[in-house]
Amino acid sequence: MELSKFTQKMYWAVVFLGFYSGVIICGGVKPEVVNVGCMLILTSPVGRVTKLAVETAVEEVNSSKQTVLGGRKLNITTLDSTASGFLGIVEAIRFMETNTVAIIGPQSSVIAHVISHIANEVQVPLLSSAAADPTLTSLQFPFFVRTCPNDLFQMAAVASMVEHYEWRKVVAIYIDDDYGRNGIAALGDQLAMRRCQISYKAALKPEATVDDIRDALIQVALMESRVLVVHTYPDQSSLNIFSVAKSLKMMESGYVWITTHWLSTVFDTVGPFSPDTMEDIQGVVTLRIHTPDSSLKRRFISRFMNMKKTWDY
């Protein structure tokens, strides 16, 4: 199984933090331990896999023969966040009140928007491997560091695909929050540059039920366009979109389903899928962030998979 890009990016982000921390403390008192905070939603597949990647990176830094931190130890304190923006903000403030030199996270673009303002004030770097909202810019948030491409890149890829096959109109199915709306806005801009457009937008609330999804897809089925772009969170519950679509006979010939890289992320973190799920997503085109082959990549995969063998979901 090929590991998703964000997991490897998080690994090297932690290694980078080791170097960064060594630099910022070299001019003053050198503590024996360098503290880094980590905000993850451990109930999610992405959160659990990221936690394992972070632990792998910490082990790499602390066992480095090159003494990345000059004899000091890198310590990670992980807080199990929730999808609640308020609790995420509270946890970030707790980290920033301590001697934490940086924070890994958050996973959510919505939370990242808020706490990036706080990070600017207290000058604590945030490194997120999942907050892909294109409106989170370094100009506005200089202490926010994204270790994954923002959604503008994948929306450009989707728009190029639409243009190539001469599909002039698409239907967007997306999560109805800042992350989903800003991502679809970027898709609309990219399509407009190619003289294409979003003909209908079907918004799903963040905790949409199967009935909510069915109601939305019934409206989608009434639209003229049969090219459907799905942009949501990398969570197993998002797979319900396809099981419901199949029950409505929307996975048959005549429909085109395209997803942003959330689907490949779910597959990489949770897969292999059950036979029923694999049948539900047959024919779906999904994006995956490309990871060039390298000795560093092979070394990481080997180390990661060895740790994963002892990891129980």
Side-chain angles (χ1 to χ4, degrees):
M1 178 186 71
E2 180 173 336
L3 296 172
S4 55
K5 178 75 170 180
F6 80 89
T7 308
Q8 296 174 55
K9 283 289 189 179
M10 180 54 68
Y11 173 86
W12 294 114
V14 176
V15 175
F16 164 77
L17 275 179
F19 286 101
Y20 171 82
S21 302
V23 170
I24 63 175
I25 62 179
C26 66
V29 178
K30 297 182 179 180
E32 295 183 359
V33 177
V34 177
N35 294 305
V36 174
C38 185
M39 294 174 55
L40 298 173
I41 303 174
L42 297 181
T43 55
S44 70
V46 171
R48 293 193 293 268
V49 170
T50 302
K51 182 175 184 292
L52 184 59
V54 169
E55 291 172 350
T56 305
V58 171
E59 181 181 315
E60 178 81 9
V61 170
N62 288 336
S63 63
S64 173
K65 294 181 180 180
Q66 299 177 354
T67 60
V68 173
L69 295 179
R72 289 171 290 277
K73 179 182 178 182
L74 177 61
N75 178 61
I76 296 286
T77 302
T78 302
L79 281 182
D80 184 5
S81 182
T82 68
S84 167
F86 176 75
L87 292 180
I89 295 168
V90 171
E91 290 169 359
I93 293 174
R94 286 178 54 195
F95 273 136
M96 293 175 185
E97 288 177 340
T98 65
N99 60 345
T100 299
V101 299
I103 296 175
I104 298 172
Q107 287 179 229
S108 166
S109 293
V110 176
I111 297 177
H113 264 287
V114 178
I115 65 175
S116 290
H117 288 285
I118 304 173
N120 284 353
E121 293 298 322
V122 298
Q123 298 187 354
V124 174
L126 297 176
L127 281 82
S128 177
S129 64
D133 187 336
T135 63
L136 285 165
T137 66
S138 57
L139 290 177
Q140 184 178 6
F141 304 112
F143 282 86
F144 175 79
V145 181
R146 196 196 322 262
T147 62
C148 64
N150 74 52
D151 282 338
L152 182 61
F153 294 95
Q154 64 172 339
M155 295 309 178
V158 172
S160 294
M161 191 185 310
V162 171
E163 179 186 31
H164 176 77
Y165 288 102
E166 299 182 350
W167 299 320
R168 294 304 173 191
K169 296 180 180 180
V170 305
V171 171
I173 302 170
Y174 62 98
I175 201 74
D176 192 15
D177 60 12
D178 286 345
Y179 165 72
R181 289 189 294 268
N182 291 334
I184 292 304
L187 174 62
D189 292 341
Q190 291 295 318
L191 288 171
M193 293 170 59
R194 296 163 174 80
R195 297 186 178 181
C196 303
Q197 63 177 305
I198 299 175
S199 61
Y200 181 74
K201 297 179 181 179
L204 300 172
K205 60 186 180 182
E207 297 180 358
T209 64
V210 170
D211 288 338
D212 293 330
I213 295 172
R214 181 176 291 106
D215 291 343
L217 292 184
I218 288 174
Q219 293 300 312
V220 168
L222 299 176
M223 300 297 109
E224 178 183 357
S225 176
R226 291 293 186 265
V227 181
L228 314 178
V229 179
V230 184
H231 180 55
T232 183
Y233 288 114
D235 192 275
Q236 284 181 283
S237 62
S238 298
L239 297 173
N240 290 332
I241 294 173
F242 302 113
S243 60
V244 173
K246 183 179 179 182
S247 71
L248 296 174
K249 302 186 182 302
M250 295 176 67
M251 300 299 293
E252 299 178 356
S253 178
Y255 283 90
V256 176
W257 288 83
I258 303 171
T259 79
T260 50
H261 63 65
W262 68 266
L263 181 57
S264 62
T265 299
V266 175
F267 186 83
D268 286 345
T269 55
V270 179
F273 292 149
S274 68
D276 288 342
T277 300
M278 289 300 297
E279 185 177 348
D280 289 343
I281 64 174
Q282 284 300 306
V284 177
V285 178
T286 184
L287 303 182
R288 174 184 267 132
I289 302 173
H290 175 61
T291 311
D293 190 33
S294 67
S295 60
L296 291 176
K297 175 184 174 180
R298 292 190 293 272
R299 177 185 173 188
F300 168 77
I301 291 177
S302 175
R303 195 180 187 98
F304 183 91
M305 295 307 292
N306 286 336
M307 290 189 69
K308 194 171 186 292
K309 289 178 182 178
T310 62
W311 178 40
D312 184 7
Y313 261 107

